[in-house]
Amino acid sequence: MKQIFYPLPLNAGDLVELDEATAHHLFDVLRTESKEDVRLISGQEVYLAHTEQKPYLRIEKKLESAGQSQAAELTLCAALIKADKFEWMLQKAAELGVSRIVPFTCARSIVQIDPKKEAKKQARWNAILEQACRQSNRTSLVHLEPVCSINQLEAYKGEVNVCAYEKEDEHHVLYDVLKNPFSSACFVIGPEGGFAPGEAERLEEKGFALCSLGTGILRAETAACFVLSAAQYQLQANAAKDGSSAL
């Protein structure tokens, strides 16, 4: 079922007028037909609606289930990289269930955001994230934090905290910190060229475990997908184990 997000509270019976961009995507790009069912997400609530004449939807009822649930809060702290690669990473991170993304700068960051253009950049990134959430049938949006520095990442720590580090011993791998059940995790991914001397060590002092992602060197955007995929796999494995032990 097609899905869209709506920013205002809703009630059964409401006639909702979509904004121009959302209406164009739903009616023209997706070729949604008249009276077709659509799932509408408003905050934490999920509604069943059907299409009327463009750009309107009629709310039929509130659904019992919120659909996809998130087993753990996953935070991705991602160093700024080239625009096309960063935007690709945002899309894939949303599809892989990330809860929050924290863009940051460090010594080897090639990309710097002009403070005067940051609001426009954030709006573009949020649009990419919303589209990815809609496409992947998520019922929650990704929370995007403002750009910060590497020295501020401690504020986003979770129960499990990992820094992907290409110079870490390959025997200290991601599984070592993900194998036990966790309710939240924070992953730090560096920029093109990796961390400058001392940066990873300072993160380790602040409680981030330095982990190898294998014997190869991954691009920053690939490393982000790797850690989120590993986290989702481990969460599902832990859930399956809990289910079988309860039998």
Side-chain angles (χ1 to χ4, degrees):
M1 186 185 300
K2 295 165 186 173
Q3 174 176 287
I4 59 175
F5 291 88
Y6 191 73
L8 301 176
L10 296 169
N11 293 291
D14 286 353
L15 183 65
V16 175
E17 181 178 2
L18 302 178
D19 64 74
E20 183 178 354
T22 304
H24 171 70
H25 181 80
L26 181 64
F27 287 89
D28 302 328
V29 177
L30 298 182
R31 301 184 182 278
T32 306
E33 298 178 354
S34 178
K35 303 300 181 181
E36 185 174 338
D37 287 341
V38 176
R39 192 161 66 162
L40 200 61
I41 313 299
S42 174
Q44 301 300 314
E45 308 295 341
V46 183
Y47 294 86
L48 180 66
H50 66 257
T51 53
E52 300 280 356
Q53 185 176 1
K54 180 184 176 182
Y56 295 101
L57 296 178
R58 177 73 68 179
I59 306 300
E60 295 182 8
K61 62 180 179 179
K62 182 178 176 181
L63 296 178
E64 293 291 333
S65 172
Q68 178 188 23
S69 61
Q70 182 67 31
E73 293 291 316
L74 302 179
T75 296
L76 176 66
C77 298
L80 292 178
I81 54 178
K82 294 177 182 178
D84 58 335
K85 298 182 184 299
F86 190 79
E87 291 179 358
W88 182 91
M89 183 203 66
L90 292 177
Q91 181 189 70
K92 302 311 171 189
E95 293 174 7
L96 289 168
V98 74
S99 308
R100 176 173 60 178
I101 294 178
V102 185
F104 73 91
T105 59
C106 52
R108 291 180 177 169
S109 295
I110 297 174
V111 175
Q112 300 289 334
I113 303 296
D114 184 342
K116 296 179 180 179
K117 298 180 180 180
E118 185 172 349
K120 185 176 180 180
K121 184 69 71 173
Q122 288 270 337
R124 176 175 173 82
W125 290 344
N126 272 312
I128 291 170
L129 290 168
E130 179 176 335
Q131 184 177 22
C133 291
R134 182 171 63 235
Q135 182 275 329
S136 58
N137 217 32
R138 287 181 55 150
T139 57
S140 61
L141 291 171
V142 178
H143 181 71
L144 179 66
E145 296 284 350
V147 177
C148 67
S149 79
I150 190 173
N151 297 322
Q152 297 171 292
L153 298 185
E154 187 178 11
Y156 301 103
K157 287 172 59 178
E159 183 180 355
V160 169
N161 302 287
V162 175
C163 173
Y165 189 42
E166 70 279 2
K167 296 182 180 179
E168 184 57 37
D169 190 302
E170 64 185 53
H171 297 295
H172 190 199
V173 295
L174 193 57
Y175 174 74
D176 294 332
V177 291
L178 294 181
K179 60 185 177 182
N180 296 318
F182 58 93
S183 60
S184 62
C186 179
F187 301 98
V188 179
I189 305 295
E192 295 107 335
F195 292 107
E199 286 182 329
E201 290 77 9
R202 287 194 292 274
L203 286 171
E204 185 176 33
E205 291 173 359
K206 293 180 178 180
F208 289 89
L210 303 185
C211 291
S212 166
L213 301 186
T215 56
I217 301 297
L218 303 182
R219 295 178 184 270
E221 64 273 24
T222 307
C225 293
F226 184 102
V227 297
L228 292 173
S229 297
Q232 291 290 2
Y233 175 87
Q234 196 58 46
L235 287 168
Q236 292 181 38
N238 291 340
K241 186 185 300 183
D242 290 345
S244 62
S245 65
L247 297 178

